[in-house]
């Protein structure tokens, strides 16, 4: 029996495996005998599913994914939530998150907001809301050894009940980013980040910008104030991307969110085509990614779109129509 099959069957390996299989077994079994180990609670669309229950309508790919991560959840004291559509599995600390918004609710809203830009496949993605870095590393090691690390998105969720909006926003953004990573793998980092933040704000009323939960309105207002009076300021996809900009290590999140929001809300159909074109076309060495983005925007929206956006931000009218 393969490692994948044994985990899918809920078998905890204790010996006899070598190489990648043993690495995965060690990772999943880590701390299995601690007091965190308990029966894993699995929910499908909010309903508790018993381990041996044959649930009508549950697809084989969803069942295998749930059973694979059930063992991780069991030894870590986590819970597993499968949404109604069977496209997203959320693994999270059961005790910490039991009083927060049901994962299925956030998932449903996020998938709906993301639908114009990306359509989930039949193989579920997995979002792990790890309680600490160790749990995240353990899950990543196991996923890599099993060969389905492409399905997994891991982030450390340190929020509390007082941070409920931020907790919900982080979950929505994690789902959106993972789905874009799977279905639109060639999107640039700034555009994927902007889209994920936009979807999270649409879903929960907040986006994660600079590790803070922010409203779109506050981000737009702050950006407009920063360029107030600078009549020559122009949107630069090159600068927003952070590529080869001195001192930059990542995209400018606020600008990315503002650009995506403006394009999605004023040129929604065209933005959908832009994302599809850029997300499924591998870039070449001869043309930088930001040039491909400019070309796609010109093709689907028009040559003046970046000038239009620049004027809107300079003049303080980039808010929702």
């Amino acid at each position: 029996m393969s490692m994948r099959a044994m985990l899918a069957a809920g078998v905890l390996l204790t010996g006899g495996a070598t190489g990648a299989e043993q690495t995965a077994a060690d990772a999943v079994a880590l701390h299995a005998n601690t007091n965190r180990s308990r029966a894993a609670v699995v929910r499908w669309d909010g309903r508790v599913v018993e381990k041996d229950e044959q649930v009508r309508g549950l697809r084989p790919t969803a069942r295998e994914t749930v059973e694979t991560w059930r063992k991780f959840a069991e030894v870590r004291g986590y819970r597993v939530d499968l949404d109604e559509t069977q496209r997203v599995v959320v693994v999270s600390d059961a005790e910490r998150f039991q009083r927060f918004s049901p994962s299925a609710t956030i998932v449903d809203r996020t998938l709906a907001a993301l639908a114009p830009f990306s359509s989930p496949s039949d193989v579920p993605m997995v979002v792990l809301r790890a309680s600490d870095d160790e749990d995240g590393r353990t899950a990543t090691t196991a996923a890599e050894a099993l060969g389905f690390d492409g399905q997994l998105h891991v982030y450390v969720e340190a929020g509390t009940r007082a941070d409920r909006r931020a907790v919900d926003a982080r979950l929505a953004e994690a789902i959106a980013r993972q789905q874009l990573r799977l279905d639109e793998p060639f999107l640039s980092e700034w555009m994927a980040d902007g889209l994920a933040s936009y979807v999270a704000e649409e879903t929960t009323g907040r986006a994660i910008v600079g590790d803070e939960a922010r409203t779109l309105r506050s981000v737009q207002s702050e950006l407009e104030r920063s360029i107030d009076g600078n009549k020559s300021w122009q949107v630069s996809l090159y600068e927003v991307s952070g590529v080869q900009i001195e001192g930059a290590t990542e995209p400018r999140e606020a600008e990315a969110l503002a650009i995506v929001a403006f394009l999605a809300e004023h040129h929604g159909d065209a933005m959908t085509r832009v994302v599809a074109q850029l997300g499924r076309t591998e870039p070449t060495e001869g043309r930088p990614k930001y040039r491909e983005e400019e070309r796609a925007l010109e093709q689907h929206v028009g040559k003046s779109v970046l000038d239009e956006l620049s004027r809107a931000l300079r003049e303080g009218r980039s808010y929702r129509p």
Side-chain angles (χ1 to χ4, degrees):
M1 181 182 289
S2 68
M3 176 64 179
R4 182 190 294 270
M6 283 186 279
L7 276 180
V11 178
L12 178 62
L13 300 186
T14 56
T18 60
E21 291 191 356
Q22 187 60 55
T23 300
D26 292 342
V28 174
L30 190 62
H31 299 318
N33 295 321
T34 68
N35 57 14
R36 296 181 66 183
S37 182
R38 69 192 72 177
V41 176
V42 177
R43 291 176 175 83
W44 176 20
D45 192 28
R47 174 198 169 197
V48 175
V49 178
E50 300 299 332
K51 183 170 184 178
D52 298 326
E53 185 178 359
Q54 296 296 313
V55 182
R56 182 177 300 176
L58 194 62
R59 293 194 299 268
T61 53
R63 185 184 299 277
E64 179 180 356
T65 301
V66 167
E67 289 305 324
T68 295
W69 289 99
R70 186 198 292 266
K71 180 53 64 177
F72 176 90
E74 187 170 299
V75 301
R76 291 280 169 157
Y78 279 38
R79 56 183 269 183
V80 180
D81 287 276
L82 176 67
D83 79 299
E84 181 183 9
T85 67
Q86 305 179 50
R87 295 182 294 183
V88 179
V89 175
V90 180
V91 186
S92 56
D93 186 299
E95 182 175 351
R96 176 177 295 176
F97 297 112
Q98 65 181 344
R99 292 184 294 273
F100 288 166
S101 299
S103 295
T105 301
I106 301 299
V107 170
D108 290 343
R109 293 174 180 172
T110 302
L111 292 178
L114 189 62
F117 310 108
S118 184
S119 300
S121 64
D122 287 338
V123 178
M125 72 168 94
V126 179
V127 174
L128 171 65
R129 307 162 81 182
S131 289
D132 52 49
D133 290 325
E134 181 185 4
D135 285 355
R137 287 192 297 268
T138 298
T140 300
T141 299
E144 289 175 350
L146 290 169
F148 52 71
D149 52 303
Q151 294 174 246
L152 176 67
H153 178 90
V154 178
Y155 72 103
V156 177
E157 178 56 88
T160 66
R161 291 186 68 186
D163 307 319
R164 179 166 177 169
R165 282 189 179 275
V167 170
D168 289 348
R170 276 191 288 269
L171 176 57
E173 194 158 316
I175 292 168
R177 286 187 67 86
Q178 174 65 354
Q179 194 60 63
L180 290 167
R181 175 187 169 197
L182 291 173
D183 286 358
E184 314 294 340
F186 300 115
L187 278 184
S188 66
E189 180 63 21
W190 82 260
M191 187 170 283
D193 186 83
L195 277 167
S197 294
Y198 174 70
V199 167
E201 208 273 348
E202 284 277 286
T203 301
T204 69
R206 296 292 186 275
I208 303 301
V209 178
D211 293 327
E212 295 181 358
R214 302 279 303 279
T215 65
L216 174 59
R217 181 67 176 259
S218 72
V219 170
Q220 290 169 318
S221 180
E222 181 180 278
L223 181 57
E224 289 171 356
R225 288 196 302 271
S226 72
I227 60 178
D228 184 35
N230 185 354
K231 301 303 182 183
S232 63
W233 184 88
Q234 292 285 321
V235 169
S236 169
L237 301 186
Y238 176 76
E239 292 181 358
V240 170
S241 71
V243 177
Q244 297 179 359
I245 301 296
E246 185 177 356
T249 58
E250 56 188 18
R252 298 179 180 179
E253 294 180 334
E255 287 94 329
L257 173 56
I259 292 171
V260 167
F262 183 87
L263 293 172
E265 294 179 5
H266 291 273
H267 304 280
D269 291 342
M271 186 60 179
T272 297
R273 295 192 295 272
V274 167
V275 171
Q277 178 176 318
L278 294 173
R280 299 164 199 173
T281 303
E282 188 170 8
T284 63
E285 293 183 5
R287 187 185 294 268
K289 190 65 175 176
Y290 76 94
R291 288 296 188 197
E292 292 290 350
E293 291 166 343
E294 291 174 347
R295 181 183 179 188
L297 288 171
E298 290 179 0
Q299 177 183 348
H300 296 288
V301 188
K303 291 185 177 181
S304 64
V305 65
L306 292 182
D307 290 337
E308 176 190 352
L309 173 55
S310 299
R311 285 195 303 272
L313 288 167
R314 289 197 307 265
E315 297 170 6
R317 55 179 181 81
S318 64
Y319 301 144
R320 288 189 168 104

